[in-house]
């Protein structure tokens, strides 16, 4: 392979190989659990409107009378942002558990992450669910 | 290679990680290496710099930007190059592959994975919603500040759940053609850089394409850390006899800083009476 460095300089391939591994893992994360395309080292920035600023984390309490929205307090902002960028079920539950630890009286919770999609015709936005998890 | 190492140290000093406890140790290490050139040529110094550039990726996970990863990878490439018998040649190989890999994945995301990029929707929304692109939307897209404010207020209300989307948002007529032009330009130059850096037969186009990318894209997308790193990697992969090209990379790096530091587009808007 003419474009590969000669044997004595194969160490030059290590950093590009790490880049390749990170970028493939990032694409895998996006496909598997909705990892934000803009994060994770996969170079998906400026490729889509699906980024943290246009994602929404919604928590609802599943009460007998119906669903009630639950506000996420400022102290849990880092957990909320983490769930928004990496909406794995474990991260969503961690946010729910932190909310319940603050307010033990809370019933079952559902934590959802939504992204914003814009209609090509008139740019009207709509929310599309990326992930959700329930905490009984 | 000497110039590339010094410029990289300068870039690490100027665009270090966000948190002080991550930034200061890295800046001290880079500052010492700049003051004592012997340190800048020592692989151990760069091993320390690599660790200082890489650990914030773990600490800040998942919030680091893509150029934070590229910063750590470039430092790793320098460290390993300095352990070989031909450090300059090894660094050239790494830098080319890092640039090629970066643009390969940037292009892959845009043209093959993203659902809203190829049809121009990404740029139409970004021109309206991202303040970094507002000057371009006004200068070339025919947008007014009132339109931008209205879109911002409606989107904020929609996302917070406090307001519904106004059914009749009128997109400025010049915005869609501008978005399509940006989409076509970005696809062409990013795919071109990928090919030029990964396919030796197109190697003669490498520098012109990467310098053009730096001189155009960062005029509005003021992600200076990413621009700095790309110009540094471009500089590092230059052949020994490409003196003018090296100067062009350094000049473009300063141009990227000037784009951020000088509110040139706002001054142009004022001069044209568009404000």
């Amino acid at each position: 392979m003419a474009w590969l460095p000669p044997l004595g300089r194969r160490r030059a391939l290590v950093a590009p190989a790490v880049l390749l591994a990170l970028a493939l893992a990032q694409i895998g994360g996006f496909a598997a659990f909705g990892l934000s395309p803009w994060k994770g080292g996969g170079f998906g920035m400026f490729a889509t409107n699906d980024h943290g600023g246009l994602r929404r984390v919604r928590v609802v309490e599943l009460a007998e009378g119906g669903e009630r929205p639950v506000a996420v307090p400022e102290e849990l902002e880092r957990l909320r942002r983490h769930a928004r960028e990496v909406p794995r079920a474990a991260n969503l539950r961690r946010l729910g558990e932190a909310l319940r630890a603050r307010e033990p009286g809370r019933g079952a919770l559902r934590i959802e992450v939504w992204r914003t999609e814009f209609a090509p015709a008139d740019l009207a936005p709509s929310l599309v669910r990326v992930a959700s998890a329930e905490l009984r | 290679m000497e110039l590339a190492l010094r410029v990289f140290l300068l870039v690490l000093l100027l665009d270090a990680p966000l948190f002080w406890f991550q930034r200061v140790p890295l800046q001290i290490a880079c500052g010492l290496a700049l003051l004592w050139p012997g340190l800048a040529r020592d692989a151990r110094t760069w091993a320390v710099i690599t660790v200082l550039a890489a650990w914030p990726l773990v600490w800040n996970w998942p919030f680091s930007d893509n150029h934070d990863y590229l910063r750590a990878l470039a430092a790793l490439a320098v460290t390993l190059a300095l352990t070989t018998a031909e450090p300059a040649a090894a660094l050239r190989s790494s830098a080319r592959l890092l640039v090629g890999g970066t643009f390969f994945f940037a292009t892959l995301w845009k043209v093959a994975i993203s659902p809203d990029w190829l049809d121009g929707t990404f740029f139409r929304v970004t021109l309206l919603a991202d303040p970094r692109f507002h000057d371009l939307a006004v200068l070339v897209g025919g947008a007014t500040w009132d339109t931008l404010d209205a879109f911002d207020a409606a989107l904020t209300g929609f996302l917070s759940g406090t307001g519904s989307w106004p059914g009749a948002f009128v997109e400025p007529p010049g915005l869609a053609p501008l978005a399509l032009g940006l989409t076509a330009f970005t696809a062409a130059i990013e795919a071109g850089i990928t090919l030029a850096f990964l396919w030796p037969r197109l190697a003669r186009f490498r520098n012109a394409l990467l310098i053009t990318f730096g001189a155009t894209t960062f005029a509005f997308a003021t992600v200076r850390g990413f621009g700095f790193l790309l110009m540094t990697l471009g500089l590092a992969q230059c052949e020994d006899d490409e003196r003018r090209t090296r100067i062009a990379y350094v000049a473009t790096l300063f141009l990227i800083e000037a784009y951020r530091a000088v509110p040139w587009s706002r001054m142009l808007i004022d001069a044209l009476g568009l404000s």
Side-chain angles (χ1 to χ4, degrees), chain A residues 11-12 39 47-48 56 120, chain B residues 63 65 83 94 114 116 124 159:
Chain A
R11 271 173 241 174
K39 299 293 179 188
T48 170
R56 182 177 168 192
Chain B
F63 304 116
D65 289 326
T83 65
S94 288
S114 169
D116 57 356
R124 284 166 65 201
L159 287 170

Side-chain angles (χ1 to χ4, degrees), chain A residues 9 11-16 23 26 30 38-39 41-49 56 78 86 116 118 120 125, chain B residues 59 62-66 69 73 80 83 86 89-90 94 97 105-106 109-110 114 116-117 122 124-125 159 165 200 226:
Chain A
R9 299 203 305 261
R11 271 173 241 174
L13 296 176
V14 172
Q26 192 259 358
F30 167 75
W38 286 56
K39 299 293 179 188
F43 301 101
M45 66 286 178
F46 294 103
T48 170
N49 289 309
R56 182 177 168 192
R78 189 176 168 90
V86 192
T116 310
F118 294 86
Chain B
W59 182 275
F63 304 116
S64 296
D65 289 326
N66 287 299
Y69 291 85
L73 290 170
L80 294 174
T83 65
E86 298 173 275
S94 288
L97 291 171
F105 283 103
W109 262 106
K110 290 180 176 78
S114 169
D116 57 356
W117 195 83
F122 168 75
R124 284 166 65 201
V125 172
L159 287 170
W165 186 252
F226 193 46

Side-chain angles (χ1 to χ4, degrees), chain A residues 2-6 8-24 26-27 30 33 35-51 53-56 77-79 81-86 91 115-127, chain B residues 19 59-67 69-70 73-74 76-77 80-81 83-86 89-91 93-94 97-98 101-102 105-110 113-117 119 121-126 128-130 132-133 151 155 158-161 165 167 169 171 175 198 200 221 223 226:
Chain A
W3 58 272
L4 280 177
R9 299 203 305 261
R10 288 285 161 89
R11 271 173 241 174
L13 296 176
V14 172
V18 177
L19 181 147
L20 178 70
L22 278 171
L24 289 175
Q26 192 259 358
I27 292 171
F30 167 75
F33 49 82
L35 171 64
S36 167
W38 286 56
K39 299 293 179 188
F43 301 101
M45 66 286 178
F46 294 103
T48 170
N49 289 309
D50 180 14
H51 56 75
L54 293 174
R55 281 189 174 188
R56 182 177 168 192
E77 177 60 13
R78 189 176 168 90
L79 274 180
R81 287 179 57 216
H82 198 134
R84 184 187 75 188
E85 306 293 347
V86 192
N91 292 337
R115 65 180 171 85
T116 310
E117 211 171 70
F118 294 86
D122 59 359
L123 298 185
S126 57
L127 292 173
Chain B
F19 295 113
W59 182 275
N60 301 340
W61 169 259
F63 304 116
S64 296
D65 289 326
N66 287 299
H67 70 267
Y69 291 85
L70 189 60
L73 290 170
L76 175 64
L80 294 174
T83 65
T84 66
E86 298 173 275
L91 184 57
S93 298
S94 288
L97 291 171
L98 285 175
T102 296
F105 283 103
T107 306
L108 184 71
W109 262 106
K110 290 180 176 78
I113 303 176
S114 169
D116 57 356
W117 195 83
D119 66 359
T121 305
F122 168 75
F123 271 120
R124 284 166 65 201
V125 172
T126 299
L128 291 166
D130 187 336
R132 291 174 294 187
F133 288 84
F151 188 85
L155 189 57
F158 174 81
L159 287 170
S160 65
W165 186 252
F169 172 74
E171 189 180 2
L175 210 71
L198 296 182
V223 193
F226 193 46

Side-chain angles (χ1 to χ4, degrees), chain B residues 200-236:
Chain B
R201 289 184 67 174
L202 296 177
R204 64 184 181 280
F205 300 114
R206 278 176 190 155
N207 298 318
L209 284 169
L210 189 57
I211 289 168
T212 302
F213 182 82
T216 53
T217 303
F218 297 100
F220 291 98
T222 48
V223 193
R224 92 173 169 164
F226 193 46
F228 282 2
L229 281 171
L230 289 175
M231 294 307 108
T232 307
L233 288 169
L235 179 66

Side-chain angles (χ1 to χ4, degrees), chain A residues 72-78 102:
Chain A
V72 179
E74 189 63 33
E75 302 90 90
L76 301 183
E77 177 60 13
R78 189 176 168 90
R102 284 174 51 89

